Amino acid sequence: GYHLEDPASPSLDQLAQTFQFHELEVEDCRHARQRAKIEEYENHIFVIGNTLHFMPETLGVWFGEIDIFVGSDFIVTVHMGPTRSVHDILPRIQANPKLQRPDKVFYALLDNIIDRYLPVLDAIGDRVDELEDEVWANPTPKSLTDIFALKRGLIEFRRTVSQMREMVNSFLRLRAPYNRAEMSAYWRDVYDHLVRAYERIDVYRDLLTGVLDVHLTATANRTNSIMKALTIFGTISVPL
């Protein structure tokens, strides 16, 4: 197996020549921000997986990219700079020779990427709960800004999870040496994680819609109260 932390490195061209990678695959590796997909070639498959990240300070959600070439006797990963997705699984694979098979390494890598979706969703869910409390107590322009920021983030999250789900679904239709019968239960578990993440995203979107409705209603009621007070004041003061 090989891992490259610089897509522009000549090492990628050398590996492409050695393992007969298509020039379009190499081009995809060198163009950042690619969405999840899977392509099957004569002697390997090419997969783009997406990592997901949440910035609590700005409430921004963004996705990363890791490119993976899987053959019957090799696996090559490409990422811009170091990535936990690869480094987290290395000790486990190095310690267990039974895991040192390309399709098993690929499973461990994708499983590690997708396992971190739910903690990101948990962080978003916590912020949704905080916003709900803030809006009930005291709706402010900042809380409205945060609601829209989270809604945009969830849209980005949903799009990424949807494409990862389609990619894994396409992988499940492949056969050995990429998708072996002994690993089918593990791959179904990965797919189930994506389905659960997708469903939770929809739950949080619905909750945010409710929080937005409460915010708008509270703001409208506050405006009506102010207008009533001004009208009463004007009614009294004008004759005087």
Side-chain angles (χ1 to χ4, degrees):
Y2 302 87
H3 175 60
L4 300 180
E5 295 183 352
D6 180 12
S9 169
S11 298
L12 180 56
D13 297 305
Q14 295 169 5
L15 289 170
Q17 186 173 4
T18 301
F19 295 117
Q20 301 174 11
F21 299 156
H22 196 282
E23 60 181 316
L24 293 178
E25 298 175 280
V26 176
E27 184 179 330
D28 278 342
C29 292
R30 288 174 172 160
H31 284 75
R33 307 284 292 174
Q34 298 282 330
R35 293 284 183 178
K37 68 175 183 178
I38 183 170
E39 295 174 347
E40 186 176 9
Y41 291 84
E42 186 175 350
N43 70 326
H44 69 279
I45 57 173
F46 175 60
V47 175
I48 295 178
N50 290 141
T51 56
L52 276 164
H53 311 271
F54 175 60
M55 302 296 290
E57 300 81 9
T58 61
L59 304 183
V61 174
W62 58 279
F63 71 91
E65 170 194 345
I66 183 165
D67 307 298
I68 311 160
F69 302 86
V70 186
S72 59
D73 57 354
F74 69 84
I75 181 168
V76 177
T77 58
V78 183
H79 183 269
M80 178 63 75
T83 172
R84 285 178 54 194
S85 300
V86 172
H87 292 297
D88 282 358
I89 67 172
L90 283 179
R92 179 157 48 99
I93 291 172
Q94 292 170 346
N96 189 349
K98 291 182 179 180
L99 298 179
Q100 295 171 12
R101 198 174 72 191
D103 64 308
K104 290 187 175 182
V105 176
F106 175 53
Y107 161 75
L109 177 58
L110 218 60
D111 183 55
N112 186 41
I113 290 172
I114 294 168
D115 274 348
R116 291 211 294 272
Y117 284 8
L118 293 181
V120 172
L121 267 177
D122 287 339
I124 293 175
D126 291 342
R127 187 67 187 108
V128 171
D129 290 339
E130 291 171 4
L131 271 174
E132 189 172 23
D133 293 338
E134 290 173 17
V135 167
W136 278 108
N138 180 32
T140 63
K142 182 183 182 305
S143 59
L144 185 62
T145 301
D146 289 349
I147 290 170
F148 284 118
L150 275 180
K151 285 181 75 72
R152 285 193 299 270
L154 284 172
I155 289 171
E156 181 70 23
F157 205 139
R158 192 174 191 268
R159 184 183 300 120
T160 299
V161 171
S162 175
Q163 290 176 320
M164 283 288 284
R165 186 180 62 176
E166 290 305 310
M167 183 271 287
V168 172
N169 190 40
S170 297
F171 175 82
L172 291 174
R173 293 195 288 268
L174 299 181
R175 297 183 179 180
Y178 312 116
N179 182 16
R180 300 173 189 262
E182 67 191 82
M183 296 293 293
S184 60
Y186 296 98
W187 282 111
R188 286 197 302 271
D189 184 62
V190 167
Y191 186 81
D192 287 344
H193 284 182
L194 287 168
V195 170
R196 289 204 300 273
Y198 194 85
E199 291 172 347
R200 284 177 63 179
I201 290 168
D202 284 342
V203 169
Y204 290 147
R205 289 180 68 195
D206 291 342
L207 286 173
L208 270 178
T209 299
V211 173
L212 178 59
D213 290 342
V214 171
H215 187 287
L216 296 177
T217 301
T219 303
N221 289 340
R222 181 184 297 174
T223 302
N224 288 338
S225 297
I226 293 172
M227 292 303 296
K228 286 178 182 178
L230 290 175
T231 300
I232 293 171
F233 179 76
T235 302
I236 295 172
S237 62
V238 168
L240 296 176

